[in-house]
């Protein structure tokens, strides 16, 4: 996911990267040659420098890399086993490779996938179609201003899902809260009854003693 998102951003042509470097990244992705990126290390702000640096490290033949064919091994060896060559950075390409927010975006995509998979039973068929339409429309940018409309549609789809998840959570929380209230009321009533009985017994004993 991380490498795919990075390729997607660089392919737009706004990051000062050569076509040769981009093609090598695509070749590595198609061969499932994935650099090792630690789970922790980013500050979660714009510019995932540490994770993207590890991503770039593998692509230039340094650090560790994984592929189905080689498993975990030295990046240079993994690339060579797929007849690929490490990227040789040209001026300013180092910054282009490490400056971005794709690490956060990939985690967000994973979280979105988990939410939608767990709540799939509660999401209506029509809302699933809305999400499908949004995904399809993201690839269509032929008309000016269409991109902004797609973002709006994506927001609508996400809101629909959040609404469903929230409704499901309320459906669970409300009965639980009702049960808790009933239990509290029962406990209070029992305590009051016990206190009354004790008081009556004490009064009877005192009256008998007099």
């Amino acid at each position: 996911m991380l490498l795919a998102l990075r390729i997607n951003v660089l392919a737009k042509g706004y990051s000062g990267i050569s076509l040769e470097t981009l093609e090598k990244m695509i070749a590595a992705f198609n061969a499932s040659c994935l650099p090792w990126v630690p789970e922790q290390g980013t500050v979660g702000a714009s510019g995932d420098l540490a994770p993207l640096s590890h991503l770039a490290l593998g692509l230039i033949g340094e650090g560790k890399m994984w592929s189905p064919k080689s498993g975990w091994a030295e990046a240079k060896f993994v690339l060579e086993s797929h007849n690929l060559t490490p990227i040789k950075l040209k001026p300013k390409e180092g910054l282009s490779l490490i400056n971005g927010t794709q690490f956060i975006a990939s985690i967000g995509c994973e979280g979105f996938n988990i939410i939608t998979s767990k709540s799939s039973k509660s999401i209506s068929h029509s809302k699933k179609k809305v999400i499908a339409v949004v995904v399809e429309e993201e690839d269509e940018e032929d008309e000016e201003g269409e991109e902004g409309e797609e973002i709006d549609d994506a927001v609508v789809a996400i809101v629909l899902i959040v609404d469903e998840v929230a409704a499901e959570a309320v459906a669970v929380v409300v009965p639980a809260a009702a049960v808790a209230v009933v239990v509290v009321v029962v406990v209070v009533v029992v305590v009051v009854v016990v206190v009354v009985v004790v008081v009556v017994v004490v009064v009877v004993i005192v009256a008998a003693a007099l």
Side-chain angles (χ1 to χ4, degrees), residues 148-168:
E149 295 176 1
E150 294 167 6
I151 294 175
D152 291 339
D153 291 338
V155 171
V156 170
I158 293 172
V159 169
L160 292 176
I161 293 173
V162 171
D163 286 344
E164 287 292 341
V165 174
E168 184 177 344

Side-chain angles (χ1 to χ4, degrees), residues 79-101:
L79 292 172
E80 289 177 351
S81 66
H82 291 273
N83 297 320
L84 302 174
T85 57
I87 292 174
K88 292 184 178 180
L89 297 176
K90 297 178 177 60
K92 299 184 179 180
E93 287 192 332
L95 180 60
S96 298
L97 289 178
I98 69 173
N99 188 29
T101 57

Side-chain angles (χ1 to χ4, degrees), residues 67-152:
S67 77
K69 180 178 179 180
S70 63
W72 285 109
E74 295 298 321
K76 186 176 181 180
F77 168 77
V78 175
L79 292 172
E80 289 177 351
S81 66
H82 291 273
N83 297 320
L84 302 174
T85 57
I87 292 174
K88 292 184 178 180
L89 297 176
K90 297 178 177 60
K92 299 184 179 180
E93 287 192 332
L95 180 60
S96 298
L97 289 178
I98 69 173
N99 188 29
T101 57
Q102 283 65 57
F103 186 73
I104 298 174
S106 60
I107 292 177
C109 291
E110 181 65 18
F112 182 81
N113 180 58
I114 292 173
I115 291 174
T116 54
S117 62
K118 286 186 177 180
S119 60
S120 59
K121 294 182 180 180
S122 63
I123 300 178
S124 65
H125 179 67
S126 61
K127 291 181 180 180
K128 287 182 180 178
K129 290 176 68 176
V130 170
I131 298 170
V133 169
V134 171
V135 172
E136 290 177 0
E137 288 183 351
E138 286 181 352
D139 295 330
E140 301 175 359
E141 299 181 0
D142 298 333
E143 299 180 4
E144 184 177 357
E146 185 176 351
E147 184 176 358
E149 295 176 1
E150 294 167 6
I151 294 175
D152 291 339

